[in-house]
Amino acid sequence: MSFTKIFSSLLLHCIFISTIFAQTPQSIQGKLLDKQSPVEFANVLLYAHSDTNKLLKHAVSDSLGKFRISANSGSYVIKFQIIGYEPKHIAIQVKENIDLGSIMLVEDNRLLASVEVVSQKELVQKTTQGFIIKAKDNLTQAGGSATDLLKSVPTVVVDADGAITVRGKGPLILINGRTSGISSTDLIPASSVESVEIINNPSAQYDADSEGGIINIKLKKVTTGGTNAIASIGGGMGAKARGSSAFSINHHSGKWNIGLNYDMRYSERTRQANTTRTSFDQPLNYLLTQGRQDNRTEQTQNIKLNVDYAASDRDIINLELIGNFEGQDNDEALTSRFASQWGSFTSRNRRESFEVEKAFVGEFAITYAHQFATKGEKIVWNASTSIGKENQDTDIITNAQNESGSGLGTPFLQRTYSYQKPQTTNLKVDYVKPLSEKVKLETGYKGIIRSTNIDYQNQTLFGGNYIKNAALSNVFDFQEQVHAAYVQIKSEPNKALKYDIGLRAEQVNNSGSSVSNSSISFQRNYFNLFPTANVAYFLNPSDFLKFSYSRRINRPGLGALNPMIDITDSLNQHGGNPYLKPELVHALEVGYNKEGDGWSLSSSAFYRLSSNIIRPFIEMKPNGVALTTPQNFGNGSTYGLEEIFNVFPTKFWSVNTSVSIFNQKIDGNVSSMDVANEVVSWYGKMIHNFTISKTTKLQVIGAYNSPTAMPQGTRMSVYNVDLGFQTKILKGKGGLGIVISDVFNMQKSGNIASASNFQLERTFKVDTRAVFITFAYSFANIFKESLLENQFSND
């Protein structure tokens, strides 16, 4: 398909939709402030003047406190509401577009006896680059990690192994807008998340290493006056027990705001895996069947301290300290059986692995923001650093067995250890300068400095002593520096048009070396320019067309570059590839957003063209070992449609449906083998929210992910249904939550792969069905809307 045809089809797609829905209501906009600070995520509620009990429309203020809502001509009452502030009402007469200007909200320090629950509101807050969803609106992942929370975010796909994709590609994960040393969203409790922002089309101010877009996870920070605290405890049962507890306290007085949060999650999990592999060129070891049983114990503790100091009306300093402690113990039993091409028994063994893992990450960040005398001119400095330590020790016992499973001979004993010390430092400055009333210049710099040392050793027991296996042991050092500068122009020439055009320049220097194997050494320095353009045209305040283009890069990280081989399954090993090249991407999108009375639609058509694509590749070795490593293929393309539809059938019931369908094509060559695959994939997610009463809510989420393309095959479909229930008790000070995850126990995953010399099928099933019960108690009014936000782990 040519570029001209693709662009034409995208444009026609949006024109067709806009023609169907085009209307011309009037605009009501303004900005919510607390003294001089913007109030974000405030509810903006529109009622008819003749009936103030019936909610007509709902909006949410953005990060700058701005809101925009539409209405036909008539008399209305607009209400502003957010926990911790006194509600505010304004009567308005709509005849033309209205700008209410700055609206001051007043803090409410009274202990409210209850919280007013209005009719259902829209789950997502749309932006011209994506959307934002508040964590508290998700009931079905109570107690989980941020990974669990993302499973219930529209358009985001999380597979059974925790891999996160958006439109078929892995996104860049940011924590509070920065590159974090916390490498996995599994380490972030959902209870500490304020909101999740999906940015499908990042502008030049964001990292170019965002081929699959950006997911920005914003952590909670309370700023309401006085002292506030909340405590929660919970327990649940899947195949085995799990539990959690959390405590938060905050104090805001004068120029100071100090908050401390702690949470703990514990779970015992089981997982089963089954593999069938046929090796066509090995007649004696022709058919391999494997069965694996895992028993994993996980424990995570998090502590976060934040300190804000308002040095003046124009100067704010923020300090943030995060500590994460993780422990995992995993007992794994793997049985492998070989049969010949003629079906006769060849060999069998049982391999038991006992793994103990301990990890720590400490992160410190400081931010200084200065507002100049000129309105809109500001500069923000940010510096952060994180250090980590991870130790993993594994004892492995392999027993040869006869056909009936009885042991043969002496067990073969091995042990491995891996010690890792990662460190990440970020330096960032952003400057905004208004050039006119409708045009502003944004520019800045970001530097990322990363280093990691990994000491991996494999030992075998000989004569009563463990002897190092030099061929399987290694010490790997990795260093990387990324220096980037950007400039972009943002403009709103009129109320109908908004655009930003930018350019980002990035210089990357990285190197890696193997201390024990001098043949593994690399050093790469490369420079790239990344142009971006985003244009939004508002047909009216609630309807807009958008167009975006960006060039991006997928830089291979440490996990992909690390050459060490994991031998836990000696017949199916995996490792990194230190010689990977970065993947370069051109991304194009055309979209349309529309709001009506009781419904809204966000529709997008997207296209992505990639070179040097990075995908896992399975190579069958002559010794019967299948080795999986990431490789650079040739080119890849993805094009498709994405729809997010919200509807409010009744005032107590809302439905959010998201569907994405796309074609993925991979065409390349690896190890003198031609690799080509093309698969049409789709995924859908439906979220039902019911407001049963002013104090009780119910949520039902169903998700389906169809098979997706791999270079040598496809990943299997995944689907599940989750239920969440919340109710407030003890006069609104307490809350009770019940969650049933994977109600029908359907969630499993796997993949099918093949080449000229093998065919492989693997399936995984984790104990995803579980019941969790949470109780929380708040000691001040500001936590009433955050009582039951996720204290359990749900894989």
Side-chain angles (χ1 to χ4, degrees), residues 62-219:
D62 62 17
S63 59
L64 300 177
K66 294 182 179 180
F67 67 88
R68 188 195 296 258
I69 200 168
S70 62
N72 296 322
S73 297
S75 299
Y76 299 92
V77 173
I78 189 167
K79 179 177 179 180
F80 309 100
Q81 178 178 291
I82 185 172
I83 300 300
Y85 292 87
E86 295 180 1
K88 191 178 185 71
H89 304 74
I90 300 177
I92 55 176
Q93 186 72 31
V94 176
K95 295 181 179 179
E96 57 185 14
N97 293 338
I98 298 176
D99 189 344
L100 298 176
S102 297
I103 301 166
M104 305 300 295
L105 298 185
V106 179
E107 290 184 357
D108 184 0
N109 293 319
R110 297 170 298 173
L111 183 63
L112 302 181
S114 63
V115 175
E116 179 180 3
V117 178
V118 299
S119 304
Q120 286 290 347
K121 57 181 180 290
E122 191 168 339
L123 182 68
V124 300
Q125 176 195 351
K126 298 181 182 68
T127 68
T128 56
Q129 296 187 57
F131 62 88
I132 299 172
I133 184 169
K134 297 193 72 175
K136 76 179 186 65
D137 292 328
N138 182 287
L139 311 185
T140 60
Q141 299 301 332
S145 65
T147 304
D148 299 316
L149 181 63
L150 291 173
K151 291 178 183 178
S152 302
V153 173
T155 76
V156 177
V157 174
V158 182
D159 68 17
D161 295 323
I164 300 166
T165 57
V166 177
R167 297 176 179 176
K169 288 298 298 181
L172 172 66
I173 307 292
L174 301 179
I175 308 298
N176 287 345
R178 67 176 182 267
T179 306
S180 175
I182 301 176
S183 58
S184 172
T185 51
D186 284 333
L187 303 180
I188 303 170
S191 59
S192 68
V193 177
E194 170 67 26
S195 63
V196 175
E197 181 178 11
I198 307 298
I199 305 173
N200 291 314
N201 308 287
S203 59
Q205 72 187 90
Y206 293 102
D207 297 45
D209 189 11
S210 53
E211 179 188 1
I214 290 174
I215 296 180
N216 182 29
I217 297 175
K218 183 177 179 180
L219 303 180

